[in-house]
Amino acid sequence: MSREEQIAELERAFGELERSIDGLTHEQKLQKWYGDWCIYDICSHIIGWHHEMDDAMERLARGERPTPEGVDYSKTDEWNKRFVDTWNQSSGEAILVELVASKDAFVSAAKTVPEEKFAEGKTAGRILATTGTNHYREHAPEIRAWRERENI
């Protein structure tokens, strides 16, 4: 798939995520149901990954390695906690606005990376899928299932 096709797929998956949240009240978005996370926490950790990986895309566009020296993303629980903690004093509205803005920045950064870095098995395509498309498709069904269980 080309870079543009991959971005279009990411946008479709993001729409699925947004639709999974649509119609929830602020109070429902605050309910802890995903471990000790609520909807806003799920969104906050996605925002954090967007920001980390838009930087990675910018480095790739400059011909650099995507991960800065000394940074290890393999401890995802620690990163996720950091991302959620960053946003835990923000309003729900601010988090949802930033979710869209951070996705847009991530996509914009991806568009600066040369097309060949999106070929199958290449780093930019993997980042776009793991941080974006697959990540949204991980959480959207979980949110829909929770809403079904709770009848909301």
Side-chain angles (χ1 to χ4, degrees):
M1 249 192 297
S2 71
R3 174 184 55 211
E4 290 310 313
E5 290 169 325
Q6 290 176 53
I7 290 171
E9 188 66 18
L10 176 142
E11 293 288 2
R12 282 189 290 278
F14 190 79
E16 294 168 19
L17 178 67
E18 288 181 306
R19 285 187 295 282
S20 74
I21 297 168
D22 282 349
L24 291 171
T25 66
H26 174 69
E27 291 74 26
Q28 290 165 331
K29 291 174 190 165
L30 285 170
Q31 288 180 23
K32 305 285 185 182
W33 62 273
Y34 190 72
D36 62 349
W37 281 6
C38 65
I39 294 292
Y40 294 129
D41 296 328
I42 292 170
C43 293
S44 295
H45 103 276
I46 292 172
I47 291 166
W49 285 113
H50 282 157
H51 286 306
E52 284 297 313
M53 293 301 116
D54 68 18
D55 291 346
M57 290 291 194
E58 290 169 2
R59 286 187 287 276
L60 282 172
R62 293 190 302 264
E64 301 169 9
R65 50 181 290 201
T67 307
E69 193 66 39
V71 172
D72 178 5
Y73 291 123
S74 68
K75 296 178 180 176
T76 56
D77 288 343
E78 291 174 20
W79 283 96
N80 288 337
K81 181 180 180 341
R82 180 183 311 172
F83 298 148
V84 170
D85 288 349
T86 297
W87 287 91
N88 70 1
Q89 297 301 313
S90 300
S91 72
E93 182 178 322
I95 290 168
L96 296 178
V97 167
E98 184 59 24
L99 178 64
V100 174
S102 66
K103 186 270 301 171
D104 290 345
F106 178 54
V107 168
S108 291
K111 289 180 177 179
T112 68
V113 177
E115 177 75 31
E116 65 270 9
K117 300 222 184 231
F118 287 86
E120 187 172 336
K122 294 290 188 174
T123 303
R126 283 195 316 268
I127 291 171
L128 202 67
T130 57
T131 300
T133 308
N134 298 346
H135 202 186
Y136 313 146
R137 288 191 173 145
E138 171 188 350
H139 291 298
E142 294 167 335
I143 295 167
R144 286 192 301 273
W146 165 70
R147 290 182 74 160
E148 190 172 307
R149 281 191 310 276
E150 297 297 314
N151 206 20
I152 52 176

Short mmCIF file of all heavy atoms in Angstrom, two decimals, residues 89-111:
data_model
loop_
_atom_site.label_atom_id
_atom_site.label_comp_id
_atom_site.label_asym_id
_atom_site.label_seq_id
_atom_site.Cartn_x
_atom_site.Cartn_y
_atom_site.Cartn_z
N GLN A 89 -4.93 16.42 34.44
CA GLN A 89 -5.48 17.66 34.99
C GLN A 89 -6.21 18.49 33.94
O GLN A 89 -6.69 19.58 34.23
CB GLN A 89 -4.36 18.50 35.62
CG GLN A 89 -3.67 17.83 36.79
CD GLN A 89 -4.63 17.49 37.92
OE1 GLN A 89 -5.44 18.31 38.33
NE2 GLN A 89 -4.55 16.26 38.42
N SER A 90 -6.30 17.96 32.73
CA SER A 90 -6.95 18.69 31.63
C SER A 90 -8.44 18.38 31.59
O SER A 90 -8.88 17.34 32.08
CB SER A 90 -6.31 18.29 30.30
OG SER A 90 -4.94 18.58 30.30
N SER A 91 -9.18 19.27 31.00
CA SER A 91 -10.61 19.03 30.85
C SER A 91 -10.82 17.94 29.80
O SER A 91 -9.99 17.74 28.91
CB SER A 91 -11.32 20.31 30.41
OG SER A 91 -11.01 20.62 29.06
N GLY A 92 -11.94 17.27 29.91
CA GLY A 92 -12.30 16.26 28.92
C GLY A 92 -12.37 16.85 27.53
O GLY A 92 -11.90 16.24 26.55
N GLU A 93 -12.92 18.04 27.43
CA GLU A 93 -13.02 18.71 26.14
C GLU A 93 -11.64 18.95 25.54
O GLU A 93 -11.42 18.71 24.35
CB GLU A 93 -13.78 20.03 26.28
CG GLU A 93 -13.98 20.76 24.97
CD GLU A 93 -14.76 22.06 25.13
OE1 GLU A 93 -15.69 22.09 25.95
OE2 GLU A 93 -14.42 23.02 24.43
N ALA A 94 -10.70 19.41 26.36
CA ALA A 94 -9.34 19.67 25.88
C ALA A 94 -8.69 18.38 25.38
O ALA A 94 -7.97 18.38 24.37
CB ALA A 94 -8.50 20.30 26.98
N ILE A 95 -8.93 17.30 26.08
CA ILE A 95 -8.36 16.01 25.68
C ILE A 95 -8.92 15.58 24.32
O ILE A 95 -8.16 15.17 23.44
CB ILE A 95 -8.63 14.93 26.75
CG1 ILE A 95 -7.80 15.24 28.00
CG2 ILE A 95 -8.32 13.53 26.23
CD1 ILE A 95 -8.18 14.42 29.22
N LEU A 96 -10.22 15.72 24.13
CA LEU A 96 -10.81 15.30 22.86
C LEU A 96 -10.37 16.20 21.70
O LEU A 96 -10.14 15.71 20.59
CB LEU A 96 -12.33 15.25 22.97
CG LEU A 96 -12.86 14.22 23.97
CD1 LEU A 96 -14.38 14.28 24.04
CD2 LEU A 96 -12.39 12.81 23.63
N VAL A 97 -10.20 17.48 21.97
CA VAL A 97 -9.69 18.39 20.94
C VAL A 97 -8.25 18.01 20.59
O VAL A 97 -7.87 17.94 19.42
CB VAL A 97 -9.79 19.87 21.41
CG1 VAL A 97 -8.98 20.80 20.52
CG2 VAL A 97 -11.25 20.30 21.45
N GLU A 98 -7.45 17.73 21.61
CA GLU A 98 -6.06 17.36 21.37
C GLU A 98 -5.94 16.01 20.69
O GLU A 98 -4.99 15.78 19.92
CB GLU A 98 -5.26 17.37 22.67
CG GLU A 98 -3.78 17.08 22.49
CD GLU A 98 -3.05 18.06 21.56
OE1 GLU A 98 -3.51 19.20 21.38
OE2 GLU A 98 -2.01 17.66 21.00
N LEU A 99 -6.87 15.11 20.94
CA LEU A 99 -6.84 13.82 20.25
C LEU A 99 -6.86 14.02 18.74
O LEU A 99 -6.04 13.45 18.01
CB LEU A 99 -8.02 12.95 20.69
CG LEU A 99 -8.14 11.58 20.01
CD1 LEU A 99 -6.95 10.69 20.36
CD2 LEU A 99 -9.46 10.92 20.40
N VAL A 100 -7.75 14.86 18.27
CA VAL A 100 -7.84 15.14 16.83
C VAL A 100 -6.61 15.92 16.36
O VAL A 100 -6.01 15.58 15.32
CB VAL A 100 -9.14 15.92 16.51
CG1 VAL A 100 -9.16 16.35 15.04
CG2 VAL A 100 -10.36 15.08 16.84
N ALA A 101 -6.21 16.94 17.10
CA ALA A 101 -5.05 17.74 16.71
C ALA A 101 -3.78 16.90 16.65
O ALA A 101 -2.97 17.05 15.72
CB ALA A 101 -4.87 18.91 17.67
N SER A 102 -3.61 16.01 17.62
CA SER A 102 -2.40 15.18 17.64
C SER A 102 -2.40 14.16 16.50
O SER A 102 -1.36 13.88 15.91
CB SER A 102 -2.22 14.49 18.99
OG SER A 102 -3.24 13.53 19.23
N LYS A 103 -3.58 13.65 16.16
CA LYS A 103 -3.69 12.75 15.00
C LYS A 103 -3.33 13.50 13.74
O LYS A 103 -2.59 13.01 12.89
CB LYS A 103 -5.09 12.14 14.93
CG LYS A 103 -5.28 11.08 13.84
CD LYS A 103 -5.73 11.62 12.51
CE LYS A 103 -7.05 12.36 12.60
NZ LYS A 103 -7.36 13.06 11.33
N ASP A 104 -3.85 14.72 13.61
CA ASP A 104 -3.56 15.53 12.42
C ASP A 104 -2.06 15.84 12.31
O ASP A 104 -1.49 15.78 11.22
CB ASP A 104 -4.37 16.82 12.44
CG ASP A 104 -5.86 16.58 12.21
OD1 ASP A 104 -6.25 15.48 11.76
OD2 ASP A 104 -6.64 17.52 12.48
N ALA A 105 -1.41 16.13 13.44
CA ALA A 105 0.03 16.40 13.43
C ALA A 105 0.81 15.14 13.06
O ALA A 105 1.81 15.19 12.32
CB ALA A 105 0.48 16.92 14.79
N PHE A 106 0.36 14.00 13.55
CA PHE A 106 0.98 12.72 13.23
C PHE A 106 0.88 12.45 11.73
O PHE A 106 1.87 12.10 11.07
CB PHE A 106 0.30 11.62 14.05
CG PHE A 106 0.76 10.23 13.81
CD1 PHE A 106 2.10 9.87 13.91
CD2 PHE A 106 -0.16 9.22 13.52
CE1 PHE A 106 2.52 8.56 13.71
CE2 PHE A 106 0.25 7.92 13.32
CZ PHE A 106 1.59 7.58 13.42
N VAL A 107 -0.29 12.67 11.16
CA VAL A 107 -0.49 12.46 9.71
C VAL A 107 0.36 13.46 8.92
O VAL A 107 1.00 13.07 7.93
CB VAL A 107 -1.99 12.57 9.34
CG1 VAL A 107 -2.19 12.66 7.84
CG2 VAL A 107 -2.75 11.38 9.92
N SER A 108 0.38 14.71 9.35
CA SER A 108 1.19 15.71 8.64
C SER A 108 2.66 15.33 8.65
O SER A 108 3.35 15.46 7.63
CB SER A 108 1.02 17.09 9.29
OG SER A 108 -0.28 17.57 9.06
N ALA A 109 3.13 14.85 9.78
CA ALA A 109 4.53 14.42 9.86
C ALA A 109 4.78 13.23 8.95
O ALA A 109 5.81 13.15 8.27
CB ALA A 109 4.90 14.08 11.31
N ALA A 110 3.83 12.30 8.89
CA ALA A 110 3.98 11.13 8.02
C ALA A 110 4.08 11.54 6.56
O ALA A 110 4.83 10.94 5.78
CB ALA A 110 2.81 10.16 8.23
N LYS A 111 3.37 12.58 6.19
CA LYS A 111 3.38 13.03 4.79
C LYS A 111 4.71 13.62 4.37
O LYS A 111 4.97 13.76 3.19
CB LYS A 111 2.25 14.04 4.56
CG LYS A 111 0.88 13.39 4.58
CD LYS A 111 -0.22 14.42 4.35
CE LYS A 111 -1.59 13.75 4.30
NZ LYS A 111 -2.67 14.72 4.10
#
